[in-house]
Amino acid sequence: MAIKTSDLNARLFAKADKRRATTTQEAQSAASEKAAVIELAVAGEHTVEFELVKVPASEIRDKTTVFDKNAREQSFLNELALSDILVTLKAHGQQYPAVGRWLDDGRIEVLDGSRRRMSCLIADQDFLVYVAKGISTRHAKFLSDVANAHKPLSLYERGKEMQAMLDSGEVSDQKALANACQCSEALVSGALKAAALPLPLLQAYPSVSELGRPTIVKLHRLYFGLDASLQQQLVAKLGDTPLWQQVDAQGVTRITREVTQLIEQFKDELVAPTSSEKEQAQTLLEGRASYRRKGNNLNINLKKVSDEDAERILALIKQTLDS
């Protein structure tokens, strides 16, 4: 019977190719040296043995899956969103193995390393993952949450977690959320706004994790400023191909800016006045004053108005409407 290399090492040198990791630093050190087996204390409760498995690039999609309670939105993982690790991975392969557990059907469920998994798929590289048996769902969630500290979650992903805390009654309001999550109420507000947006709108961007509160607030105001019918039409305008792939620009920042401008353009097209409404626009003074009459409504547009003139005009309007 064949002898495993680790067993042979144990017999020849009185030690096995195994590491016991009780701290994050020890686990990272063992992972960087790709020890065949590591023993990791999960949630500080008990030690679990993880075996290093290499999944061929062609089998990653079929033989691995991502933990369904992983906070990271998998549809956001694309070439630009993963650019921070793709360059090194393409040149040197995967440097740090992921962490997962065996499923009953023989597949590997990735708990820590969904970004590495997708990067290996994109780069057509073998996927390295430490896998263990008997990992409970609670411990799986712990390993997944700890892993997300390596790369901060997007506002959308954080907002989803925060909304779940509100829905479950774990916290009562945004102030309690801020205390529980140890962040500002402004961040909580931005995250909840992001979580309320439809996925297709966010998938239009190259890297959702790079979207800050100003952009999220703008998108929230734009989207929820439309009625339900126009919201559906806006999402339909986005099409099946992500907008970021259709933009002729370089760099995440520039692409992000242009995608936002396109979405604003789509919205303006949806709410543009009809031809009959346009015909009702009348010019009072070229370049200075115009108005549009629609039914009982009167919209006046004034430009280059001094403070003194503005006060007189407003006073006249008030006097007229009060009489």
Side-chain angles (χ1 to χ4, degrees):
M1 184 175 66
I3 300 177
K4 292 183 180 179
T5 302
S6 57
D7 293 336
L8 182 61
N9 286 339
R11 295 183 186 183
L12 293 176
F13 306 107
K15 65 178 181 178
D17 186 10
K18 178 185 290 188
R19 297 293 184 85
R20 171 166 292 180
T22 57
T23 68
T24 302
Q25 291 74 18
E26 289 175 353
Q28 289 176 342
S29 175
S32 66
E33 296 177 20
K34 300 182 179 66
V37 177
I38 61 172
E39 292 180 340
L40 179 64
V42 180
E45 295 182 7
H46 67 280
T47 301
V48 178
E49 188 172 278
F50 290 81
E51 173 191 4
L52 184 62
V53 175
K54 178 187 287 187
V55 182
S58 61
E59 299 177 3
I60 296 174
R61 198 174 297 278
D62 293 331
K63 292 194 173 181
T64 69
T65 185
V66 177
F67 184 45
D68 61 3
K69 291 183 174 56
N70 189 315
R72 203 174 295 284
E73 174 56 50
Q74 299 301 299
S75 66
F76 294 160
L77 301 182
N78 57 57
E79 301 94 303
L80 290 182
L82 297 168
S83 60
D84 57 317
I85 59 177
L86 264 176
V87 174
T88 301
L89 191 143
K90 287 179 179 178
H92 307 290
Q94 185 182 346
Q95 298 301 297
Y96 293 92
V99 174
R101 65 175 178 174
W102 290 109
L103 296 177
D104 292 339
D105 61 7
R107 290 184 302 158
I108 296 171
E109 186 175 54
V110 177
L111 308 175
D112 168 6
S114 65
R115 299 181 79 245
R116 278 162 282 175
R117 173 183 178 273
M118 182 57 71
S119 295
C120 287
L121 277 169
I122 293 172
D124 196 29
Q125 294 274 1
D126 295 342
F127 180 49
L128 299 175
V129 53
Y130 280 114
V131 195
K133 296 179 180 178
I135 300 292
S136 68
T137 299
R138 184 170 66 86
H139 284 158
K141 186 71 169 73
F142 170 82
L143 289 169
S144 179
D145 289 345
V146 169
N148 287 331
H150 302 322
K151 175 72 175 179
L153 296 174
S154 66
L155 278 175
Y156 172 86
E157 292 158 338
R158 297 190 68 178
K160 281 294 186 183
E161 290 192 321
M162 292 177 181
Q163 188 62 57
M165 293 171 70
L166 283 172
D167 294 342
S168 68
E170 184 177 344
V171 292
S172 57
D173 53 28
Q174 292 192 20
K175 184 174 182 179
L177 260 179
N179 290 332
C181 299
Q182 297 183 341
C183 62
S184 67
E185 289 187 52
L187 191 149
V188 168
S189 175
L192 291 176
K193 281 183 169 65
L197 293 171
L199 267 178
L201 195 62
L202 295 169
Q203 289 165 344
Y205 287 89
S207 181
V208 178
S209 62
E210 303 297 326
L211 295 182
R213 288 200 303 274
T215 301
I216 290 297
V217 170
K218 179 184 291 186
L219 288 174
H220 189 273
R221 185 183 301 117
L222 179 154
Y223 181 77
F224 288 100
L226 303 172
D227 60 34
S229 174
L230 291 180
Q231 287 176 355
Q232 292 178 359
Q233 292 180 52
L234 176 63
V235 172
K237 271 181 169 288
L238 299 176
D240 296 328
T241 303
L243 285 184
W244 69 267
Q245 294 182 0
Q246 305 174 44
V247 169
D248 184 17
Q250 298 294 322
V252 171
T253 301
R254 287 192 60 190
I255 295 175
T256 296
R257 183 166 58 248
E258 296 210 14
V259 167
T260 301
Q261 291 172 353
L262 274 175
I263 293 174
E264 289 177 317
Q265 179 182 320
F266 291 163
K267 176 257 186 182
D268 290 340
E269 291 171 357
L270 289 173
V271 299
T274 64
S275 57
S276 60
E277 291 173 338
K278 291 180 180 178
E279 290 172 359
Q280 292 177 355
Q282 301 291 330
T283 298
L284 288 176
L285 184 61
E286 190 66 39
R288 294 289 304 279
S290 63
Y291 72 92
R292 179 179 289 111
R293 177 76 173 175
K294 183 180 180 182
N296 292 328
N297 297 324
L298 177 64
N299 296 320
I300 302 175
N301 184 24
L302 304 177
K303 299 179 180 179
K304 302 176 184 178
V305 180
S306 66
D307 291 342
E308 182 180 350
D309 287 343
E311 289 180 4
R312 291 168 54 195
I313 293 170
L314 293 173
L316 178 60
I317 293 174
K318 185 175 186 302
Q319 178 183 352
T320 302
L321 294 180
D322 281 345
S323 59

